[in-house]
Amino acid sequence: MSFQIKSFQEYKDNYKKSIENPESFWEEIANNFVWKKKWNNVLSWDFSKPEIKWFEGATLNITENCLDRHLETRGDKTAILWEPNDPKEGVIKLTYKELHSKVCAFANVLKNNGVKKGDRVCIYLPMIPELAIATLACARIGAIHSIVFAGFSATALASRINDAQCNVVITSDGSYRGNKTIDLKGIVDDALESTPSIQTSIVYKRTGAAIEMKANRDVWWHEELEKVNDQCEAEEMNAEDMLFILYTSGSTGKPKGMVHTCGGYMVYTAYSFKNVFQYEENDVYWCTADIGWITGHSYILYGPLANGATTIMFEGVPTYPDGGRFWEVVEKHKVNQFYTAPTAIRALEKQPIELVNKYNLSSLKVLGSVGEPINAEAWHWYDDNIGKNNAPIADTWWQTETGGIMISSLAGVTPQKPTFATLPLPGIQPVLMDAEGKEIETTEAEGRLAIKFPWPSIARSVYGDHQRYKDTYFSAYENKYFTGDGALRNKEGQYRITGRVDDVIIVSGHNLGTAPIEDVINEHDKVVESAIVGFPHDIKGNALYAYVILHDGVEGNDTLRLEINSQIADSIGPIAKLDKIQFVSGLPKTRSGKIMRRILRKVAAGEHKSLGDISTLLNPEVVDEIINGVLV
Ligand code: PRX
């Protein structure tokens, strides 16, 4: 692909062009891909509706770009390098030819099981090659994949299946995570009790656990494969046809299915992958995310594969068999680009340094960070100990909704600055908004981060609820996409993301909406009301602190805390568990009845001396009680 930016000057030139003439800029980039038919129009957009269309009239299949086009020149190159949970189990290397053949064969399995273009398929699998194969097989036949992270509970899985009305679910008998084996099929069975749209579940045998296969619903992956060949024509998709739905947290309990489409998503993920990570033909690239999150969709699968890269999929966890696992894998596979999350860096920083130093990390050329702001200490630890001050760090800011990396240095090409995501990628036009909702014109500023022009991989809608898409992202500021983040900009125009300004809290790099968790707590029959805030945590970045009001006469104790947390784990997943639960008699409220979360946040963070003016509260007396009972 001929769109690699190799110098800061080239970046500046490209950025300028992308702003002055976005259509011709993106058209030139799009010309690097295989289209069945080219577009009539590069871009049409109207943020007030909102309606955004890229490469209208064009047709393509993203798997032809990720697989078929490489067969001639890279057929025997490793596409996916799979590293198992247990290092004693062998690695799997799938070449582009092998991956192509497996994707086509499984696409035929889907067809045999009645899946058609436009159908929604839920994928609930661990990080095994079959997750990649199933995903690409959906794309091959034009089915819309909805991958649900396999750490979500049965209730969360069911609500996502129901929201998208999936007719097929793909799962495995179980999964391995560190020294644990998880009964994935059992979770799916529970979920399927309340998902009438599901006709079939396809089950891959991973652990060999004794599971129940339900007649007329459950089929084995390996048995279905015996019935098909590996020839499967790629479905012709319109550029604006849906490629996938991916759920993200929001301000209500209902999951928000972000819709991504085929053409623009492909162009932008491939372009950003190449430029941010400066991937070269024989490099081995490793992103440690799970494919159940957007990072895995865009930067384990689609972006790297569209570039013909070798991409690692890791089934395990950073601390198994010990805290040196990441570095062992880097040495073993001579990883060149390594992309992980600040929460993982902070956790590994706490391990004995010998677990880093015993491995040869000299293959590393580029380091990446994603998911939350990276604090200065973690940034320097990463730079000193992993990159040996010799591998540029790309701190990549983006979101499920943006589809691809928006603000980041291009590793080694544009300047880096600790704790700053730095500059926008070409085509991205960030703005900072002030408290009055006006765009801040000065370069050096702090405000709320919005984007004023569309880019190819912006989500097009919330599945089944376009109004919610409009309300969430396009109502805060006229004609702008609102990110939900705060940011500051220095005089060089570099951005530092300061964190969420809405009711989403980022815990260990995962987005958690406060409302859905509060809903679950409030369902407990001993609870009247609750409020959740984030508080700073050494490893997780933020952890959850809950203030809970109980019914009269009910005693708040540790048993109740365990019950509340297990209810959360069952309804959402263990990632949403609370670190601290304080029982209180009331919550500080404004005269209009709104909970003053600012106060709760300060108290939880141990900053009760700087609460500011609380005289406008309806019930200022509860503040003292809350301060006195704070859990440290
Ligand atoms: O608050 C920002 C934070 O993560 C949010 C998006 O979360 P999600 O949709 O789950 O996607 C995560 C992976 C792209 C953002 O609104 N965030 C993500 N990356 C960064 C970040 N905050 C600061 N710096 C980052 N590099």
Side-chain angles (χ1 to χ4, degrees):
M1 307 246 199
S2 62
F3 47 59
Q4 186 175 3
I5 296 170
K6 294 191 172 145
S7 69
F8 192 25
Q9 189 54 48
E10 235 184 286
Y11 161 80
K12 289 184 203 158
D13 296 344
N14 274 274
Y15 190 78
K16 187 159 181 276
K17 178 168 181 202
S18 77
I19 305 305
E20 285 171 359
N21 205 336
E23 299 198 15
S24 81
F25 176 81
W26 287 112
E27 178 156 47
E28 256 174 55
I29 288 165
N31 278 328
N32 287 276
F33 296 83
V34 178
W35 302 86
K36 288 183 193 279
K37 204 169 113 218
K38 289 271 174 98
W39 44 90
N40 311 318
N41 190 21
V42 177
L43 169 66
S44 64
W45 65 292
D46 179 348
F47 276 176
S48 70
K49 285 187 177 160
E51 190 176 270
I52 303 141
K53 291 184 175 160
W54 283 91
F55 311 115
E56 232 179 320
T59 64
L60 76 154
N61 188 290
I62 196 167
T63 68
E64 287 192 327
N65 286 274
C66 289
L67 301 170
D68 304 58
R69 75 180 306 194
H70 306 309
L71 295 181
E72 216 169 283
T73 50
R74 304 184 175 105
D76 297 318
K77 175 176 176 177
T78 301
I80 291 180
L81 200 171
W82 178 74
E83 172 71 28
N85 177 60
D86 183 346
K88 291 198 281 301
E89 191 181 343
V91 304
I92 293 175
K93 292 182 178 181
L94 293 178
T95 64
Y96 273 93
K97 269 190 204 144
E98 289 163 340
L99 183 59
H100 177 263
S101 151
K102 284 178 184 288
V103 167
C104 290
F106 194 69
N108 288 331
V109 167
L110 290 175
K111 281 188 184 167
N112 273 354
N113 282 280
V115 180
K116 297 178 305 298
K117 180 176 180 171
D119 286 353
R120 275 82 54 217
V121 173
C122 177
I123 303 178
Y124 187 74
L125 279 171
M127 281 287 283
I128 53 178
E130 287 66 28
L131 170 52
I133 293 164
T135 304
L136 295 167
C138 287
R140 186 79 176 174
I141 62 169
I144 298 159
H145 55 77
S146 168
I147 306 181
V148 177
F149 171 60
F152 275 116
S153 69
T155 314
L157 173 62
S159 70
R160 284 157 177 74
I161 288 174
N162 288 332
D163 186 74
Q165 289 291 292
C166 299
N167 50 4
V168 169
V169 59
I170 303 168
T171 188
S172 65
D173 51 354
S175 68
Y176 298 118
R177 226 180 130 67
N179 51 19
K180 285 194 283 220
T181 305
I182 297 155
D183 175 20
L184 230 49
K185 177 65 163 57
I187 297 172
V188 173
D189 286 344
D190 284 351
L192 297 196
E193 300 268 313
S194 56
T195 56
S197 61
I198 293 284
Q199 310 278 317
T200 309
S201 90
I202 304 177
V203 185
Y204 181 78
K205 190 178 265 183
R206 169 70 185 118
T207 61
I211 56 161
E212 219 178 294
M213 294 291 279
K214 189 169 170 195
N216 301 322
R217 188 193 73 188
D218 300 346
V219 297
W220 283 109
W221 175 299
H222 58 274
E223 288 179 7
E224 292 303 294
L225 264 187
E226 283 165 16
K227 304 176 192 163
V228 297
N229 65 26
D230 67 354
Q231 305 295 311
C232 178
E233 199 61 21
E235 189 73 36
E236 183 165 0
M237 305 296 288
N238 287 318
E240 281 298 330
D241 280 343
M242 266 185 230
L243 174 63
F244 65 85
I245 302 167
L246 182 61
Y247 287 89
T248 186
S249 296
S251 53
T252 71
K254 199 170 169 331
K256 196 164 58 182
M258 302 314 304
V259 169
H260 284 283
T261 56
C262 297
Y265 177 81
M266 169 183 77
V267 169
Y268 193 79
T269 54
Y271 175 77
S272 51
F273 170 76
K274 179 80 178 170
N275 282 303
V276 170
F277 298 104
Q278 293 289 308
Y279 183 86
E280 301 287 349
E281 183 61 38
N282 295 313
D283 288 348
V284 174
Y285 161 87
W286 182 19
C287 165
T288 68
D290 192 290
I291 291 177
W293 309 113
I294 192 68
T295 308
H297 281 60
S298 301
Y299 299 111
I300 295 177
L301 289 183
Y302 289 114
L305 294 177
N307 280 279
T310 296
T311 176
I312 295 184
M313 264 181 88
F314 175 48
E315 185 188 29
V317 295
T319 49
Y320 179 80
D322 64 36
R325 185 68 191 279
F326 272 4
W327 323 124
E328 184 234 340
V329 175
V330 167
E331 175 183 288
K332 178 161 144 197
H333 299 303
K334 299 193 172 51
V335 171
N336 301 111
Q337 289 89 2
F338 178 73
Y339 189 27
T340 197
T343 186
I345 298 169
R346 288 190 297 260
L348 296 176
E349 198 184 321
K350 300 241 180 305
Q351 302 280 331
I353 196 68
E354 299 82 72
L355 288 176
V356 176
N357 291 341
K358 71 195 254 206
Y359 297 106
N360 179 353
L361 306 182
S362 62
S363 58
L364 288 172
K365 298 195 285 190
V366 171
L367 300 178
S369 173
V370 61
E372 61 187 304
I374 178 167
N375 50 305
E377 192 196 339
W379 196 99
H380 287 292
W381 185 87
Y382 200 28
D383 186 37
D384 294 344
N385 295 289
I386 308 304
K388 319 286 182 198
N389 304 118
N390 204 20
I393 296 177
D395 175 3
T396 65
W397 173 82
W398 58 296
Q399 310 178 295
T400 305
E401 296 85 341
T402 68
I405 297 168
M406 303 286 282
I407 304 183
S408 169
S409 57
L410 311 184
V413 170
T414 64
Q416 64 181 24
K417 186 175 171 67
T419 76
F420 278 69
T422 72
L423 298 172
L425 264 66
I428 307 306
Q429 303 192 33
V431 288
L432 292 179
M433 310 299 290
D434 67 16
E436 275 79 56
K438 283 210 296 291
E439 188 177 332
I440 307 174
E441 302 289 344
T442 48
T443 308
E444 229 178 331
E446 181 159 5
R448 297 185 167 210
L449 182 64
I451 317 282
K452 69 173 179 192
F453 196 85
W455 59 100
S457 63
I458 183 175
R460 304 296 197 261
S461 193
V462 168
Y463 189 78
D465 196 349
H466 199 67
Q467 186 62 38
R468 191 170 178 199
Y469 175 65
K470 179 175 175 170
D471 293 346
T472 313
Y473 305 104
F474 298 92
S475 309
Y477 310 114
E478 202 184 339
N479 246 337
K480 292 181 181 66
Y481 166 84
F482 176 47
T483 64
D485 283 323
L488 63 81
R489 188 167 54 206
N490 66 11
K491 51 182 187 310
E492 282 81 38
Q494 296 169 319
Y495 289 85
R496 174 191 198 159
I497 310 301
T498 49
R500 300 292 308 186
V501 293
D502 57 5
D503 50 9
V504 170
I505 303 172
I506 306 210
V507 178
S508 299
H510 300 311
N511 267 9
L512 297 172
T514 51
I517 306 175
E518 288 164 1
D519 287 350
V520 176
I521 302 175
N522 299 348
E523 272 166 24
H524 194 291
D525 56 13
K526 292 182 177 151
V527 172
V528 179
E529 195 183 357
S530 61
I532 293 177
V533 294
F535 72 98
H537 185 282
D538 266 12
I539 292 176
K540 300 179 185 180
N542 297 296
L544 299 180
Y545 194 114
Y547 298 89
V548 176
I549 306 175
L550 298 175
H551 282 291
D552 280 350
V554 176
E555 190 204 345
N557 55 24
D558 283 348
T559 313
L560 188 51
R561 290 190 173 94
L562 286 174
E563 277 174 32
I564 290 173
N565 259 335
S566 98
Q567 203 160 302
I568 292 173
D570 289 346
S571 294
I572 301 171
I575 52 175
K577 280 197 195 173
L578 309 166
D579 267 47
K580 294 182 183 173
I581 302 176
Q582 181 181 352
F583 298 108
V584 294
S585 67
L587 294 167
K589 290 195 176 165
T590 61
R591 287 181 197 280
S592 57
K594 261 183 83 173
I595 298 173
M596 284 280 267
R597 286 173 195 273
R598 180 178 59 81
I599 292 177
L600 297 175
R601 242 180 257 130
K602 290 230 164 184
V603 174
E607 295 167 7
H608 60 269
K609 296 224 167 73
S610 58
L611 288 185
D613 183 15
I614 57 168
S615 62
T616 54
L617 287 179
L618 190 65
N619 51 350
E621 69 285 355
V622 301
V623 176
D624 275 341
E625 178 208 320
I626 288 176
I627 293 172
N628 291 333
V630 71
L631 303 167
V632 283

